[in-house]
Amino acid sequence: MIKSKAYATHSASSPLTAYEIQRRDPGSEDVQIEILYCGVCHSDLHTARNEWKNTLYPAVPGHEIVGRVVAVGNKVQGYKVGDLAGVGCMVDSCGHCHSCREGEEQYCENGFTGTYNGPLFGGENTYGGYSQTIVVKQSFVLRIHHDEKDLASVAPLLCAGITTYSPLRHWGAGPGKKVGIVGLGGLGHMGVKIAHAMGAYVVLFTTSSGKVADGKRLGADEVCISTDLKQMAAHANTFDFILNTVAAPHNLDAYLQLLKRDGTMTLVGAPAEPHPSPGVFNLIMKRRQLAGSLIGGVRETQEMLDFCAQHKIVSDIELIPMDYINTAYERMLKSDVKYRFVINMADFK
Ligand code: NAP
Ligand code: ZN
């Protein structure tokens, strides 16, 4: 077994503190990665505080992992010691169900194994990226083609990047399409960059008037303050697709009525409490659709990383030391981060 320093929480109400975990010795198909940077996703906070009522303690969050390969098993062909590599939200799945066979492991019918918090349908806990090293089977390891100097800013692509890329691709964001992104946080700012790079006309919806200039800098063609009813009404019936990344319950009707006939709004934000139920007439009168989407499969995550490397897309980050994490969570709750915290593991001695 390999000992690794980590940061864990032991209950919904306690802060994260230093904790030692053990990783398995790399098996023949495994890659061991020294973690250099790990992004901080709002899902880490939901999990640490048991907001989804499924947390296994001790909980070591972190699923936006980048680092350097330090050991490989004897059947590993795609990675060698010294390579840069990434790990996202999953470390395993059944491999044989309908979804896994189609490369959509995140919808594994037998439940994928999360990078942290264990298998979806119960089983042994897993520990995430708030740690010095991780051992992952090679089929769940991602290749990084970005410049090494951008590595810290690449980490958030492993969750925030794929969670926005996958639905934007699935619902056809591209030239001639009007796409809305709701919420300018970690996911939202990646959504704006990626939708813009795909060639869509991008409108950012934000509750924060202070984010208008940033929204445009990041690639939005327009920024709409979602609390301003007049600004919202000007977009009625015009969107092909809206990607909603908001981490808190809110009025979905305000956005559904902005969709064209046959338009779709997809929820990726996963608040602990339900949204107020949307009015049915907003859906049936224009055959609109309300949908959801979960991260993306391994193959699509690699496709997203390659797309982002090609388009020079990285995350806007604030680099923090490991022991800043509890403060970072409080700031994330106040939307006080531009636009993703990333933990620098070099500061974690
Ligand atoms: P984040 O950085 O905290 O961003 C969330 C944004 O939502 C905020 O920046 C804010 O944007 C907006 N917001 C927050 N509270 C709001 C409120 N009360 N009313 C309206 N808007 C509000 O979070 P994140 O890391 O991007 O994650 C967002 C959500 O996606 C979380 O629930 C997370 O668990 C979930 N998630 C889902 C998946 C998936 O696979 N589906 C993957 C990763 C994360 P403005 O200031 O611009 O309004
Ligand atoms: Zn995440």
Side-chain angles (χ1 to χ4, degrees):
M1 292 297 234
I2 302 160
K3 285 185 183 169
S4 173
K5 280 188 186 174
Y7 247 55
T9 177
H10 298 267
S11 82
S13 55
S14 42
L16 283 96
T17 50
Y19 181 67
E20 190 176 275
I21 59 169
Q22 296 202 322
R23 303 293 192 186
R24 65 176 184 266
D25 291 318
S28 58
E29 304 268 2
D30 285 337
V31 176
Q32 185 188 349
I33 297 165
E34 179 199 358
I35 299 175
L36 298 175
Y37 301 102
C38 182
V40 178
C41 178
H42 207 114
S43 302
D44 301 356
L45 188 159
H46 290 308
T47 301
R49 299 187 177 177
N50 198 20
E51 291 178 355
W52 293 329
K53 309 287 180 239
N54 69 344
T55 303
L56 305 171
Y57 292 102
V60 177
H63 57 202
E64 294 183 336
I65 298 168
V66 291
R68 194 175 299 286
V69 175
V70 290
V72 294
N74 59 13
K75 289 198 184 133
V76 172
Q77 296 194 320
Y79 299 91
K80 58 180 189 325
V81 171
D83 284 354
L84 295 178
V87 180
C89 303
M90 301 180 284
V91 290
D92 209 353
S93 71
C94 86
H96 54 75
C97 73
H98 184 69
S99 295
C100 285
R101 281 204 311 268
E102 293 192 342
E104 304 272 18
E105 299 89 354
Q106 74 280 29
Y107 302 118
C108 173
E109 277 121 63
N110 299 303
F112 67 84
T113 299
T115 301
Y116 58 79
N117 212 38
L120 203 56
F121 301 141
E124 212 177 304
N125 199 1
T126 50
Y127 297 133
Y130 297 4
S131 60
Q132 290 177 312
T133 193
I134 190 166
V135 177
V136 179
K137 76 183 203 191
Q138 63 168 333
S139 51
F140 283 82
V141 178
L142 285 309
R143 254 169 264 282
I144 312 283
H145 295 303
H146 283 80
D147 215 278
E148 190 167 339
K149 69 172 174 30
D150 294 330
L151 196 59
S153 315
V154 170
L157 302 183
L158 274 305
C159 174
I162 185 58
T163 302
T164 49
Y165 180 90
S166 180
L168 286 166
R169 271 294 302 266
H170 185 81
W171 277 278
K177 295 290 166 78
K178 184 172 175 183
V179 169
I181 305 288
V182 187
L184 194 65
L187 266 57
H189 96 290
M190 291 312 308
V192 168
K193 290 186 184 201
I194 292 170
H196 174 73
M198 287 174 171
Y201 185 86
V202 182
V203 180
L204 166 69
F205 294 95
T206 177
T207 57
S208 312
S209 52
K211 293 182 183 173
V212 174
D214 269 356
K216 293 205 171 140
R217 172 180 63 79
L218 295 166
D221 295 284
E222 287 182 55
V223 179
C224 177
I225 303 296
S226 53
T227 48
D228 180 333
L229 299 183
K230 230 172 129 185
Q231 285 190 35
M232 291 292 275
H235 289 286
N237 306 318
T238 59
F239 280 88
D240 296 282
F241 181 63
I242 296 177
L243 183 64
N244 188 325
T245 75
V246 173
H250 62 284
N251 173 19
L252 301 182
D253 279 318
Y255 299 101
L256 287 172
Q257 59 203 12
L258 307 188
L259 293 170
K260 282 180 177 167
R261 174 175 59 79
D262 288 325
T264 300
M265 175 158 80
T266 294
L267 307 180
V268 287
E273 302 300 328
H275 296 292
S277 181
V280 72
F281 283 99
N282 269 330
L283 296 171
I284 64 179
M285 295 305 282
K286 289 202 180 294
R287 203 164 51 192
R288 293 167 173 137
Q289 298 168 70
L290 179 60
S293 181
L294 178 67
I295 47 175
V298 177
R299 188 174 60 215
E300 196 175 39
T301 305
Q302 189 64 61
E303 179 186 303
M304 174 279 308
L305 282 168
D306 298 347
F307 175 91
C308 288
Q310 188 192 343
H311 290 268
K312 304 207 180 315
I313 294 174
V314 291
S315 173
D316 286 27
I317 65 163
E318 180 177 334
L319 207 56
I320 60 169
M322 187 70 257
D323 61 8
Y324 187 77
I325 190 69
N326 298 300
T327 310
Y329 280 3
E330 291 312 314
R331 285 184 52 197
M332 186 156 66
L333 282 173
K334 290 188 264 177
S335 294
D336 176 24
V337 47
K338 291 187 170 180
Y339 278 93
R340 199 58 140 184
F341 290 113
V342 172
I343 302 161
N344 185 356
M345 290 301 164
D347 294 343
F348 186 29
K349 296 286 180 234

